[in-house]
Amino acid sequence: MADRRLQVFHAVARNGSFTRAAEALFMTQPAVTFQIKQLEEQFNTRLFDRGHGRVTLTAAGELVMAYAERILGLTEELESRVSELTDELSGILHLGTSTTIAGYWLPYLLEGFKRKYPRVIPRVSVGNSQLIESRVMDRNLDVGLIEIVTEQPTLDRRSAGQDELQLIVAPGHPLAGETSVQAEQLAEYPLLHREPGNAIRDLLDQYFAAAGIAFEDLNVAAELGSLSTVKHLVAQGFGIAVASAAAIRSGVKAGRLVGISLEPKLYTPLEVILLKDKFRSRLVNTFADFVTEEIGRLSATRKA
């Protein structure tokens, strides 16, 4: 098993902070500081430079970090190999998902997976697609579920399905009676846009650009990180927005929102990503296979 001090050192180096490392490890900050002090005394050198609210690795720290990555990786592989001698999958799965997938796809995915493998403990992080992509690349997550087609060469990507994006308006809005709308029709209305880094924002910006409409020409009323806030403000008549069809289904059914197809149609990809050079346990591979197949099935069912 890996030395606990190496685990703490790795967490501090990854987080750039004793406080954030303590939070990630569910330890107190003094306990983290003590572990690092012991490791520095063992090597008789400083491993971190401290200043300006952030810690950085010294030259010796960089060397220790390289070996810590290898040692912790081998420890994880050893534990996984031993656990795989049993028939039933178990253990912690570090999973990251975009906000839309977390709210409207993940409950069904986890329900199905937990029914098959009840001893697995999913530990879920939620953020925009770019954040989840970076956390998979930083080895903080085993699997990512995102809504962008990644171009990172260090990642393996699996195209699992797609979801239609639709315009949403309040029932009394002038566009509410339309069966489809084009980009030119939307430019004049206040737009409740998503935050930078959000996959749907990027797709919508590309949609307007393809129609010859620059971002500066849009009537952006707000940039929001919360889809719930977007839907609430649209329902209250504060503007229009574009969202996943899966995310607006309940609001449309309840009569709070009207969903309208875009012309040409716009779809968000649903992707499963894993790091190429990171050891993958049977649990990680099984989950990646399961969600790829299940997203494809759910995507086809919802489209129908």
Side-chain angles (χ1 to χ4, degrees), residues 254-265:
R256 296 189 301 272
L257 298 169
V258 175
I260 306 167
S261 292
L262 298 172
E263 183 60 42
K265 286 185 178 293

Side-chain angles (χ1 to χ4, degrees), residues 19-304:
T19 301
R20 288 195 291 272
E23 292 171 352
L25 295 170
F26 303 100
M27 297 172 63
T28 64
Q29 185 172 332
V32 169
T33 301
F34 177 73
Q35 295 279 358
I36 297 301
K37 184 173 181 290
Q38 280 199 324
L39 198 60
E40 289 181 326
E41 288 176 352
Q42 177 181 334
F43 291 120
N44 193 31
T45 186
R46 284 188 304 107
L47 300 177
F48 292 104
D49 285 324
R50 300 157 173 85
H52 305 293
R54 184 173 177 84
V55 297
T56 57
L57 289 168
T58 63
E62 294 279 3
L63 180 63
V64 174
M65 182 62 171
Y67 278 91
E69 292 268 9
R70 292 161 60 183
I71 292 169
L72 293 173
L74 286 172
T75 298
E76 179 185 355
E77 184 174 345
L78 172 62
E79 292 173 350
S80 176
R81 293 296 191 198
V82 172
S83 69
E84 286 173 6
L85 294 175
T86 63
D87 290 332
E88 187 176 3
L89 284 182
S90 63
I92 296 175
L93 177 73
H94 297 276
L95 169 65
T97 86
S98 70
T99 51
T100 297
I101 292 176
Y104 305 97
W105 297 83
L106 189 63
Y108 301 98
L109 299 175
L110 291 185
E111 177 189 357
F113 195 74
K114 287 285 289 182
R115 287 188 187 279
K116 295 184 70 171
Y117 307 105
R119 294 181 61 197
V120 173
I121 303 172
R123 184 170 289 170
V124 181
S125 300
V126 179
N128 65 44
S129 291
Q130 286 186 0
L131 175 63
I132 298 304
E133 179 185 64
S134 67
R135 293 201 65 199
V136 172
M137 293 174 63
D138 288 343
R139 299 175 179 270
N140 292 317
L141 296 172
D142 298 318
V143 186
L145 307 180
I146 61 174
E147 299 166 83
I148 56 176
V149 177
T150 182
E151 297 179 354
Q152 298 294 338
T154 59
L155 295 178
D156 274 336
R157 53 170 287 262
R158 304 181 185 184
S159 296
Q162 60 180 13
D163 191 15
E164 183 182 356
L165 297 180
Q166 292 186 340
L167 176 72
I168 51 173
V169 299
H173 194 276
L175 295 176
E178 301 288 339
T179 56
S180 65
V181 290
Q182 297 180 339
E184 294 80 1
Q185 296 173 261
L186 309 183
E188 63 181 283
Y189 295 104
L191 175 65
L192 300 170
H193 216 3
R194 300 305 300 274
E195 83 283 9
N198 181 276
I200 291 178
R201 178 195 174 108
D202 292 342
L203 287 170
L204 187 57
D205 287 347
Q206 294 166 19
Y207 177 79
F208 282 118
I213 301 172
F215 179 83
E216 295 76 16
D217 295 329
L218 297 174
N219 182 8
V220 177
E223 295 181 333
L224 303 166
S226 166
L227 179 56
S228 296
T229 302
V230 170
K231 293 191 294 183
H232 176 79
L233 292 177
V234 169
Q236 296 304 312
F238 285 97
I240 64 173
V242 170
S244 154
I248 65 172
R249 184 171 286 108
S250 61
V252 170
K253 187 175 180 180
R256 296 189 301 272
L257 298 169
V258 175
I260 306 167
S261 292
L262 298 172
E263 183 60 42
K265 286 185 178 293
L266 188 61
Y267 295 92
T268 180
L270 303 172
E271 301 272 310
V272 180
I273 58 171
L274 308 102
L275 194 62
K276 283 182 179 179
D277 65 353
K278 182 180 180 181
F279 166 72
R280 296 181 199 167
S281 64
R282 183 163 64 99
L283 169 55
V284 170
N285 284 325
T286 301
F287 181 79
D289 291 342
F290 174 85
V291 295
T292 301
E293 181 179 339
E294 192 67 3
I295 287 175
R297 186 187 69 80
L298 288 171
S299 178
T301 300
R302 290 177 175 183
K303 186 183 295 185

